[in-house]
Structures are given as structure tokens and as C-alpha cells.
């Protein structure tokens, strides 16, 4: 892109705000050649937010309908494959740390993990929805460890769960 004289700029936009028109205006500027939307928090009903952007557009990690060019991670298969790897390594008691936010990527990852659990009755996988922030998840994880047998492995659907698990491990060293 640089060799052809293009410059990549990133605009962070909170879909819950009232500045949808500002986003459309920014995307429609003459120096904008195309728009890439990191849409993991978008739902199909949010599709209207992109209406009026008459530029080539690719949407990442959201299923907003077949009329848009989309690139999606195979979140379900990735989570399934991770559980399969742990199973092959002899791990049967696995916790999946989930946030309480239901966005496309997270839902697909949970689906993949749950599908592996359903396919392997001797796999004791549990999806634990522990909070939204690292601190909330850390505190909830401490409670879980007091009431349940510790897991042999932990999978996290986001960096929030990963950081919570790492902080907990560090505090026990």
C-alpha cells in the first residue's frame, strides 16, 4: 500500500455513541480509498451503521449479511481444535474462561468449545462466564478455585481471561 502511495489510518469508533454520521462522513472523504471494518462487536441489526458508506468495504469478524465482503476467523473450529489438542494431551478437566459479553467472535468460540464437550462425554469442559474486566474475572476465578477442583488447563476467549489466569498464577508463586 505504501509503495502505491496509500496511507493506512485507523479510526476507533464506539457503536454505542451518537456519532454515526461523523463516521460516515470520515469514510466518505475523497482521500479514503476503501474501508476495513473490524466488526467483532457488530451484530446483524447493526448493519445500518455502515449504510451510506459508498466505498469498497471489507468487514472482519462479523456476519452482517452476504451482500458485504467479509473475512472471518474460524472461531468455532479454533476453539474445537484447542480442546481437541488438550484432550490428546490427556487433559480432561478444562475451564473455558468467558466474558459476559455476547459478541460474534466470543459466541462462535464458545460454540466450538461446547461442541467438543458434547462430542467427548469423558471431557469435563466447563464454560465459566466470569465477568467483563480482567479484575472481575480474576476475582471470580478465585471463587471458582475455592469451590471446584482446579482444572488441568484453562482456555480463555479473550485477553481478559488470559490476564486474569496469569495474574492468579503469579499470585500463587
Amino acid at each position: 500500500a505504501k509503495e502505491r502511495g496509500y496511507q493506512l489510518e485507523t479510526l476507533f469508533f464506539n457503536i454505542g455513541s451518537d456519532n454515526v454520521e461523523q463516521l460516515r462522513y470520515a469514510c466518505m472523504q475523497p482521500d479514503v480509498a476503501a474501508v476495513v471494518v473490524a466488526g467483532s462487536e457488530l451484530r446483524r441489526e447493526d448493519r445500518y451503521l455502515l449504510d451510506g458508506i459508498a466505498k469498497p468495504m471489507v468487514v472482519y469478524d462479523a456476519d452482517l449479511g452476504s451482500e458485504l465482503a467479509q473475512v472471518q476467523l474460524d472461531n468455532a473450529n479454533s476453539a474445537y481444535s484447542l480442546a481437541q489438542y488438550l484432550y490428546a494431551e490427556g487433559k480432561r478437566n478444562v475451564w473455558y474462561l468467558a466474558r459476559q459479553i455476547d459478541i460474534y467472535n466470543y459466541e462462535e468460540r464458545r460454540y466450538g468449545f461446547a461442541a467438543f464437550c458434547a462430542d467427548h462425554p469423558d471431557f469435563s469442559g466447563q464454560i465459566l462466564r466470569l465477568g467483563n474486566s480482567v479484575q472481575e474475572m480474576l476475582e471470580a476465578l478465585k471463587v471458582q478455585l475455592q469451590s471446584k477442583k482446579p482444572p488441568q488447563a484453562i482456555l480463555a476467549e479473550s485477553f481478559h481471561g488470559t490476564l486474569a489466569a496469569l495474574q492468579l498464577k503469579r499470585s500463587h508463586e
Side-chain angles (χ1 to χ4, degrees):
K2 263 186 187 178
E3 288 174 8
R4 294 186 178 186
Y6 291 103
Q7 178 178 333
L8 177 64
E9 292 187 24
T10 303
L11 175 65
F12 291 96
F13 178 73
N14 180 355
I15 64 170
S17 68
D18 294 329
N19 57 358
V20 175
E21 288 305 317
Q22 290 175 336
L23 173 69
R24 290 185 189 123
Y25 179 80
C27 291
M28 291 306 297
Q29 292 306 301
D31 60 342
V32 174
V35 177
V36 176
V37 177
S40 62
E41 295 189 23
L42 292 174
R43 299 187 173 288
R44 278 189 179 241
E45 57 267 21
D46 297 324
R47 168 65 178 91
Y48 76 94
L49 294 169
L50 305 177
D51 291 346
I53 300 174
K55 300 281 183 163
M57 183 176 358
V58 175
V59 178
Y60 277 79
D61 292 326
D63 184 3
L64 300 181
S66 60
E67 73 280 359
L68 293 174
Q70 300 177 65
V71 177
Q72 296 181 33
L73 297 173
D74 188 351
N75 288 290
N77 191 49
S78 295
Y80 191 100
S81 295
L82 285 169
Q84 190 172 34
Y85 169 79
L86 293 171
Y87 185 86
E89 292 291 312
K91 310 295 188 228
R92 297 296 187 269
N93 180 17
V94 176
W95 290 0
Y96 179 95
L97 305 185
R99 293 181 73 204
Q100 292 173 328
I101 294 174
D102 293 324
I103 62 175
Y104 181 78
N105 287 350
Y106 296 169
E107 291 169 341
E108 288 293 302
R109 291 173 196 158
R110 289 178 210 143
Y111 171 78
F113 185 78
F116 184 85
C117 293
D119 291 346
H120 298 81
D122 62 329
F123 184 76
S124 179
Q126 299 176 53
I127 296 175
L128 304 174
R129 294 180 70 135
L130 300 180
N132 289 320
S133 70
V134 173
Q135 191 60 39
E136 286 174 344
M137 294 183 85
L138 174 61
E139 296 306 318
L141 190 54
K142 288 177 185 177
V143 170
Q144 291 293 321
L145 284 170
Q146 291 173 358
S147 64
K148 295 181 179 183
K149 180 181 173 185
Q152 294 171 296
I154 292 176
L155 294 177
E157 73 183 10
S158 71
F159 73 86
H160 306 84
T162 301
L163 290 176
L166 289 172
Q167 285 182 18
L168 184 64
K169 182 180 182 324
R170 186 172 55 201
S171 70
H172 283 82
E173 289 180 342

